[in-house]
Each structure stands twice: as C-alpha cells, then as structure tokens.
Amino acid sequence: MTDSIAEIIAGARREGRVYLLEHECKAILRDIGVPTTSGLVAKSEEEAVSMSEAIGYPVVLKILSPEIVHKSDAGGVMLNVGRGEVRAAYNELAARFKDRHVVGVSVQEMARPGLEVIVGATRDATFGPVLMFGLGGVFVEVLKDVAFRVIPVTQRDAQEMMEEIKGYQLLQGYRGQSADVASLRDILLKVSDLVTAYPAIKEVDLNPVFAYPQGSLVVDARMILEEETTGQVVAPPQSPPTLGGRFGAAPQADLTAVFEPRSVAVVGASATPNKAGFNILQNLLTLGYEGEVYPVNPKAGEILGLKAYPTVDQIPHQVETAIIATPAGVVVDVMKGCARKGVKAVIIISSGFSEGSEEGRRLEDEVMAIARQAGIRLVGPNTTGIFNGENRFISSFAPIDKLPSGNVAFIAQTGLFLGILLDHILTSQHFGISKVAGLGNKADVDDADILEYLAGDAQTEVVAMYIEGLSDGRRFLKVAREIAREKPLVVFKAGTTEAGAEAALSHTASLAGRAEVFEAACKQAGILRVNGFEEMLDVVKAFSFLPLPTGNRVGVIHYTGAGCVIAADACQKEGLELAEFSPATLEALREITPAWHRVRNPIDLWPAIERNWLEIPYGVAIETLLGDEGVDSLIINLFAIPRWDTYIPDFDVLRASAKPVLFCVEGNETHVREAVAKIEGQSFPVYSQVNRAVFALSCLTKQARFRGLI
Ligand code: ADP
Ligand code: MG
C-alpha cells in the first residue's frame, strides 16, 4: 500500500521544506475525505487556460511558492477571473513573483460564497496536539472567537467546540445564511485523525472553509511540518523534560507506602521546638498517627519521648516510609541508607534542589536515581508532603494542633496546603479532610499519580487541586477524565496569563495560548475550574456536604427584594434556571404572605416575616419548595444580627429531601459566625453572598450533568 500523505510529507522534506503548499495540503485533505476546491497546478499560461476551461468560469488563480505563506497579503491571489482573463492574470502573477521560487499557479473554481470558518491544529507544549475552530476573517483575527480541544476529539467535543464560540448563532442561521454543522463536525474529526496519524504534521490551518447550508468546502489550506527530518515528534522545545523521560517510567508500585505507612522514620528529627524535624514528630504524635515512629538523628538519644537512631539502617525494626528533613547536602546519603533498609517511600521536605539552582537540579537527579534503582516512591523534594485523615499520617513541619478527617482531598504543587492554607481551612471551614498531597518539585510522584490513588480511595469524595504547571498534560488529562466521572475534581490553576505560543506560521498556533488550551482540556475532562482559593473552598464545601441535583431548576428564598434580584441575576449568569413554582406551592406561599404581595421565584419573604416573624414564613417556604417537584435545589438566605433572633432551620426536614440546600447568611460578623457554625455543623454549606452560593450550586449542577444525572 502506498501512503500518498507520507509521500507528500517526504517530498517536502527532500526539498528541505517544513511548509506544505496549498495544492499539497488539498491533496492530503481529499485523501482523508475532506472536500476542497481544485488542486490543479499550472506551470504555463497554456496549462492555466486549459485547466480553467475544464473547471469552468470564473476561476481563481493563486501563486504557489515555498517563500509565500500568506498569499493574498503578497498580492498572490486573483479572484473571479473570467474567460479571456486567464492569460493576463497568469502572466501578472508570474511577473510579480518571478524571483520567488514559484512552483506554479493554482487554478481552482471560484467557490460560491458561504460562511467562512477556520479549522486548525497545533501542538501545545503540555497537552500535545490540539484542534481549533472559529469563524473566519475578523472573527478570528480581531475578536479571537475560537475554541480549542485536545486531540483526539470525540463527536461531542467537536460539537461542543462549535457551540462554544460566540458566533455559533451565525452558523445556525442568520439573515438567510446558515451552515451545515454536521459537515463541519466531520472536518474537525478528520483533522483530529490526520494529526494523530501523522505526528510529522505540526500545524494545520484550513482558512477559510466555506460552510454552506449543505456541505462545506476547504478553499485554502496550509500545513507546517515538525522541524526534524525523521517525521517523529519529539517534545516541543518549551516542554520541560519529564521525569519519566529522565529516569524511565515510574515504577507501577502504588502509593500505599506514601499515604498509609505502618512505620515511619523521621530523618532530621530534632528536640528543638519549632525546627522542622521537631514539628513533624510532634504532629505525628498529637494528630494521633497510628503507626510506629522512629526519630533519626546522628546524636541519637531520645526525642519527644521516643528512642532515636543515628541512621535509618540502624533502626532494628521495619521502616516502610521515611520523612527526610535534613539539609539538602546529606539527602543523598540518607537515601542510600533508606535503599539499604528497604524503605518503600520517602517524603523529602528539604529544599535546595531543582527549585533553586542548577546544582540543586543535579542533586535532585542523584537522589532520584537512587530512588528509581531501589524502587522507592518519592514525594517532593521541597514540600510539606502528605496527610492521611484515615491513619492520621502526616509529614508537615507546620505546627498543627487538630485536623478533622473528612471526604475532601487536596493536591497542591505548593506546600502551602499543609501549612498556612490548612490553618485557614481549619479555622474557617467545617468540612473534613481525607488526604493532602503537597508535591513540591514533583521529582517522582506527580499530580496524575495522586489522582490515580485518590480515584481508588474510599474516604475521598471530592478532589481539589492547585496547579502551576504540568509535566505530562496528556497523562493528567486521561487520569483526570477517569476520576472526574466518579468524584468532582475542582482545579485552581495559576500562571494562566503566561503568553503561550512563540512566533508561529499558522493562525492556529498564534491563537493557542496556554490558558486557552488548559481551559479546553478541563472541559474535556469534566474538571471544574475555579479562580482562586476562596472559590475553591466555596465549591469544595458544597461537594463535601451535599448530594448532586437532578436538574438545574433553583428555588431561592430571600428576605429582601434586592436580594431576590441579585440572586436571579447570579442564576442567569451561571446557567441555572429559576424554578417555576407549582400551583400548590404558590398557594401555600400566598397563605403566609399578605394579599398584596406578589409571590414568585425568588420569593421575597419579608412581607410574611413582618406579619408572622421567622418560624412560619421560613418553615413553610422551605418545606413547600423542597416538596415541589419542579424545584431541584434550594438557596436559603438568612440574616443574623444582634437583638433579632437568627432563623435556624429544622435540619431533619432538609435532610429528608434529596435536594441540595445551600445557605447565605448576612449581618453582624459575630452572629453570622455563630449561625455558620450551627448550619455547617449540620453539613449544609453557608456563603457570605448569594452569588457565591449560586456559583457553588452551578458547579454541583455541572458535575451532575457530566455524570449524566441531568
Ligand atoms: P491566503 O490565506 O494565503 O492569503 P487564500 O487562499 O485564503 O490566501 O485566499 C484569500 C481569500 O480569497 C480567502 O480568504 C477567500 O475569501 C478568497 N478565496 C480564496 N480562494 C477562493 C476560491 N477558490 N473561491 C472563492 N474565494 C476564494
Ligand atoms: Mg487563507
């Protein structure tokens, strides 16, 4: 079997070209079943005329030269050329580009006007090949109204990326023009397959594609090849070397020893309060770690009432895991001891590795080499490491007095989680924690490894991640996609403003910034994006406490008219629908509120409160709305101020319903804090503003949709 696509690529390579000319691209496209205008190439005036005769008038003539990438900018496109005009047009092009290594002149039919769209592909440093779709012309160039997906895309991805652009309405039909969306989806899928099958193709620009009410036609195409001549893809230059690459694949061993050690050595244990090696030991003791603890310190003796040993391999008992908190310089020696002792996992707290200097990187490599050779899993270096709410194992050096166990897991590149942020969570939140993994430099164990472990962890029901960078975006995406089907995955990614692509020949590559591609990857994986720690906690506590809704129709109870308007706005912004109350609900609400008051959703309870005070209005409204089949979820707004009592609902009523119920409490700080403690103590999330409650609910709804519950 001859592969004509591979031949076209090889032909360009032989000529030292990375840029495939329009007629070559069109040959490739026709090969994969994508319709294009003619790919005929005239090398003489006579040929141009006879080709035009065969095609029928009017025709289009375009210059074909490896030196000319943007043909019309250079004056190389002649549109609407009629019978009798072909010779002149051909000669004009030939004269204009006579010194430009012209390969020939493309002769093609003048396509009837359609809606112009662009389909493209490029390669992202983290996620590999990505696909782009947008409306052509100013929509792409000025408005950058484009959508991305990581390749390979599914039918659904292809459909969603079209629907995502602002101009989608134009495709659906506007002023008599419309586009055959199915034919565009087909082109998207075929381009996805093409760049998957031919990794040598680095960028694709089909610009424009004319979309008609029936069918679509590629009018112009360019493709850019990878630089190297083998046709194999290597990681693009800006991609950081992945450790899988430097040290071979990570051992398949799971992370049991990382999270669930039965015995642990604390290397660098210290008797001096507030030193890292002191706090780690103290945390293990005060938080109630269930396994054996062996301090390691060259001076041995006794630390915090435990017998200390001079080195790991001198401990006369089994040691499953070591927490290393020594100066970086001695870590290599410690690792050797751990290897001799048969330790299965190490958590390296020490800094002074690849995060700081080239020398540190070399040291980290040396440490990793020992770990790989001995089959030791390594967390860090440069981190606070691990917490496991089940066996109470902890490696953090931040002083922690209490740490309630629960169903939320955190993964973070920063050690902040087991340090300052944890304190923030512990003092402001009422949900418990199942696992924390602070990954530091990610020399071995990375985000995807932890996600894989958490997928199988019965205690974890929600996963929250803080990410700065990913070394292997494709593996992360695969694992994230799997876990997100079962457990909500909430991600806060920082560093998204970084400019993505370097100078690029194709439109697609110039538009594919890091942020856009990450955003697309999240959508494909069902990841819930948040934009800060505060939003992360808002969403996490909703998942930690509540069931998922089975629809997107919200009922809102407020105590002011303004609150009702703000809530309605927030619902609309987040794609939630205000439920339409059933006749029975409306009747029940009318009974508690004055006759002049108009009852609707959101319900303003104030007139009823004025008449009856709090118990009856709130009690009736809550019970009625929870009983209304047209209401899928409920947001209850309360106030808490001195001298007026704060309404605290009957939690049994809330729990008896399978619908998510979220609260918003406003008022006096002290009183609000008391109300929050009461309500969250009963596992219902409370927010300080209604729009935050709405946002959290919208995430629950998205997750329900992703799981096919809606
Ligand atoms: P380039 O992108 O290299 O400048 P194109 O081949 O895209 O050149 O041509 C420029 C514009 O001319 C296109 O955006 C399209 O609007 C129009 N055009 C090009 N080829 C045809 C054709 N065969 N039929 C109708 N219009 C065409
Ligand atoms: Mg073009």
Side-chain angles (χ1 to χ4, degrees), residues 14 39 111 122 141 161 170 185 224 271 314 341 466 493 632 648 706:
R14 273 194 299 278
T122 183
E141 274 150 38
M161 69 192 289
L170 296 178
R185 195 171 56 218
I224 315 293
Q314 283 175 59
K341 182 70 188 161
Y466 169 72
K493 162 94 164 69
D632 302 307
I648 299 293
F706 185 64

mmCIF file of all heavy atoms in Angstrom, residues 14 39 111 122 141 161 170 185 224 271 314 341 466 493 632 648 706:
data_model
loop_
_atom_site.group_PDB
_atom_site.id
_atom_site.type_symbol
_atom_site.label_atom_id
_atom_site.label_comp_id
_atom_site.label_asym_id
_atom_site.label_seq_id
_atom_site.Cartn_x
_atom_site.Cartn_y
_atom_site.Cartn_z
ATOM 1 N N ARG A 14 12.441 16.318 1.420
ATOM 2 C CA ARG A 14 13.577 16.246 0.492
ATOM 3 C C ARG A 14 13.993 17.631 0.025
ATOM 4 O O ARG A 14 15.157 17.905 -0.194
ATOM 5 C CB ARG A 14 13.192 15.390 -0.731
ATOM 6 C CG ARG A 14 13.445 13.884 -0.517
ATOM 7 C CD ARG A 14 13.387 13.127 -1.837
ATOM 8 N NE ARG A 14 12.108 13.225 -2.507
ATOM 9 C CZ ARG A 14 11.048 12.471 -2.206
ATOM 10 N NH1 ARG A 14 11.146 11.542 -1.267
ATOM 11 N NH2 ARG A 14 9.920 12.617 -2.856
ATOM 12 N N GLY A 39 -7.164 21.228 -6.843
ATOM 13 C CA GLY A 39 -5.749 21.326 -6.503
ATOM 14 C C GLY A 39 -4.860 21.338 -7.736
ATOM 15 O O GLY A 39 -3.677 21.011 -7.653
ATOM 16 N N ALA A 111 -15.267 29.467 -5.647
ATOM 17 C CA ALA A 111 -16.308 28.853 -4.821
ATOM 18 C C ALA A 111 -17.410 29.867 -4.558
ATOM 19 O O ALA A 111 -17.125 31.050 -4.370
ATOM 20 C CB ALA A 111 -15.704 28.390 -3.507
ATOM 21 N N THR A 122 -2.678 22.565 16.154
ATOM 22 C CA THR A 122 -1.315 22.932 16.503
ATOM 23 C C THR A 122 -0.872 22.030 17.643
ATOM 24 O O THR A 122 -1.625 21.145 18.055
ATOM 25 C CB THR A 122 -1.206 24.426 16.874
ATOM 26 O OG1 THR A 122 0.164 24.735 17.141
ATOM 27 C CG2 THR A 122 -2.017 24.762 18.108
ATOM 28 N N GLU A 141 -9.371 37.049 13.537
ATOM 29 C CA GLU A 141 -8.225 37.948 13.631
ATOM 30 C C GLU A 141 -8.405 39.020 14.697
ATOM 31 O O GLU A 141 -7.481 39.325 15.429
ATOM 32 C CB GLU A 141 -7.947 38.587 12.271
ATOM 33 C CG GLU A 141 -7.055 37.691 11.431
ATOM 34 C CD GLU A 141 -7.297 37.840 9.949
ATOM 35 O OE1 GLU A 141 -7.536 38.971 9.509
ATOM 36 O OE2 GLU A 141 -7.259 36.806 9.248
ATOM 37 N N MET A 161 -17.236 22.338 20.766
ATOM 38 C CA MET A 161 -16.314 23.433 20.460
ATOM 39 C C MET A 161 -16.941 24.412 19.468
ATOM 40 O O MET A 161 -16.667 25.605 19.508
ATOM 41 C CB MET A 161 -14.931 22.939 20.043
ATOM 42 C CG MET A 161 -14.822 22.248 18.716
ATOM 43 S SD MET A 161 -13.215 21.418 18.522
ATOM 44 C CE MET A 161 -12.100 22.805 18.343
ATOM 45 N N LEU A 170 -24.473 32.392 14.165
ATOM 46 C CA LEU A 170 -24.363 32.654 12.730
ATOM 47 C C LEU A 170 -24.380 31.344 11.951
ATOM 48 O O LEU A 170 -24.914 31.263 10.860
ATOM 49 C CB LEU A 170 -23.073 33.417 12.414
ATOM 50 C CG LEU A 170 -22.954 34.820 13.005
ATOM 51 C CD1 LEU A 170 -21.611 35.434 12.644
ATOM 52 C CD2 LEU A 170 -24.081 35.692 12.467
ATOM 53 N N ARG A 185 -18.415 19.410 11.605
ATOM 54 C CA ARG A 185 -18.007 18.459 12.653
ATOM 55 C C ARG A 185 -17.186 17.331 12.029
ATOM 56 O O ARG A 185 -16.169 16.896 12.575
ATOM 57 C CB ARG A 185 -19.262 17.903 13.320
ATOM 58 C CG ARG A 185 -19.004 17.204 14.624
ATOM 59 C CD ARG A 185 -20.296 16.876 15.317
ATOM 60 N NE ARG A 185 -21.155 16.094 14.454
ATOM 61 C CZ ARG A 185 -22.477 16.219 14.384
ATOM 62 N NH1 ARG A 185 -23.102 17.098 15.131
ATOM 63 N NH2 ARG A 185 -23.189 15.476 13.561
ATOM 64 N N ILE A 224 2.164 22.890 8.445
ATOM 65 C CA ILE A 224 3.573 23.070 8.809
ATOM 66 C C ILE A 224 4.058 21.755 9.415
ATOM 67 O O ILE A 224 3.378 21.166 10.265
ATOM 68 C CB ILE A 224 3.747 24.195 9.859
ATOM 69 C CG1 ILE A 224 2.932 25.443 9.502
ATOM 70 C CG2 ILE A 224 5.213 24.515 10.087
ATOM 71 C CD1 ILE A 224 3.367 26.189 8.286
ATOM 72 N N ALA A 271 15.091 17.910 68.764
ATOM 73 C CA ALA A 271 14.459 18.151 70.062
ATOM 74 C C ALA A 271 14.234 19.645 70.277
ATOM 75 O O ALA A 271 13.721 20.055 71.310
ATOM 76 C CB ALA A 271 15.344 17.583 71.169
ATOM 77 N N GLN A 314 20.065 1.783 60.819
ATOM 78 C CA GLN A 314 20.341 1.225 62.150
ATOM 79 C C GLN A 314 19.075 1.009 62.984
ATOM 80 O O GLN A 314 19.138 0.559 64.119
ATOM 81 C CB GLN A 314 21.306 2.134 62.896
ATOM 82 C CG GLN A 314 22.750 1.942 62.377
ATOM 83 C CD GLN A 314 23.702 2.913 63.021
ATOM 84 O OE1 GLN A 314 23.868 2.950 64.237
ATOM 85 N NE2 GLN A 314 24.336 3.723 62.200
ATOM 86 N N LYS A 341 17.871 -0.126 53.696
ATOM 87 C CA LYS A 341 16.896 -0.548 54.697
ATOM 88 C C LYS A 341 15.631 -1.124 54.053
ATOM 89 O O LYS A 341 14.815 -1.759 54.719
ATOM 90 C CB LYS A 341 16.539 0.679 55.565
ATOM 91 C CG LYS A 341 15.563 0.417 56.690
ATOM 92 C CD LYS A 341 16.169 -0.434 57.793
ATOM 93 C CE LYS A 341 15.106 -0.834 58.812
ATOM 94 N NZ LYS A 341 15.502 -1.987 59.622
ATOM 95 N N TYR A 466 -4.468 22.473 43.300
ATOM 96 C CA TYR A 466 -3.841 23.735 42.920
ATOM 97 C C TYR A 466 -2.674 23.378 42.004
ATOM 98 O O TYR A 466 -1.770 22.623 42.393
ATOM 99 C CB TYR A 466 -3.331 24.493 44.150
ATOM 100 C CG TYR A 466 -2.447 25.648 43.784
ATOM 101 C CD1 TYR A 466 -3.002 26.790 43.216
ATOM 102 C CD2 TYR A 466 -1.077 25.581 43.946
ATOM 103 C CE1 TYR A 466 -2.196 27.843 42.842
ATOM 104 C CE2 TYR A 466 -0.260 26.634 43.570
ATOM 105 C CZ TYR A 466 -0.828 27.764 43.021
ATOM 106 O OH TYR A 466 -0.030 28.801 42.638
ATOM 107 N N LYS A 493 -5.942 26.781 38.730
ATOM 108 C CA LYS A 493 -4.673 26.813 38.022
ATOM 109 C C LYS A 493 -4.168 28.236 38.028
ATOM 110 O O LYS A 493 -4.865 29.141 37.570
ATOM 111 C CB LYS A 493 -4.910 26.327 36.584
ATOM 112 C CG LYS A 493 -3.835 26.672 35.580
ATOM 113 C CD LYS A 493 -2.837 25.547 35.439
ATOM 114 C CE LYS A 493 -1.978 25.693 34.189
ATOM 115 N NZ LYS A 493 -1.041 26.807 34.220
ATOM 116 N N ASP A 632 -35.305 21.747 41.886
ATOM 117 C CA ASP A 632 -34.241 20.745 42.020
ATOM 118 C C ASP A 632 -33.250 21.071 43.124
ATOM 119 O O ASP A 632 -32.509 20.196 43.583
ATOM 120 C CB ASP A 632 -33.473 20.614 40.698
ATOM 121 C CG ASP A 632 -34.392 20.230 39.555
ATOM 122 O OD1 ASP A 632 -35.116 19.226 39.693
ATOM 123 O OD2 ASP A 632 -34.403 20.946 38.528
ATOM 124 N N ILE A 648 -32.882 29.427 62.426
ATOM 125 C CA ILE A 648 -32.102 28.205 62.165
ATOM 126 C C ILE A 648 -33.107 27.119 61.779
ATOM 127 O O ILE A 648 -34.029 26.823 62.539
ATOM 128 C CB ILE A 648 -31.306 27.772 63.419
ATOM 129 C CG1 ILE A 648 -30.298 28.873 63.833
ATOM 130 C CG2 ILE A 648 -30.580 26.441 63.191
ATOM 131 C CD1 ILE A 648 -29.162 29.125 62.854
ATOM 132 N N PHE A 706 -22.272 16.229 33.925
ATOM 133 C CA PHE A 706 -21.139 15.443 33.430
ATOM 134 C C PHE A 706 -21.354 13.961 33.723
ATOM 135 O O PHE A 706 -20.944 13.094 32.966
ATOM 136 C CB PHE A 706 -19.857 15.954 34.091
ATOM 137 C CG PHE A 706 -18.608 15.304 33.571
ATOM 138 C CD1 PHE A 706 -18.234 15.477 32.254
ATOM 139 C CD2 PHE A 706 -17.815 14.530 34.401
ATOM 140 C CE1 PHE A 706 -17.089 14.890 31.766
ATOM 141 C CE2 PHE A 706 -16.661 13.939 33.925
ATOM 142 C CZ PHE A 706 -16.295 14.125 32.606
#
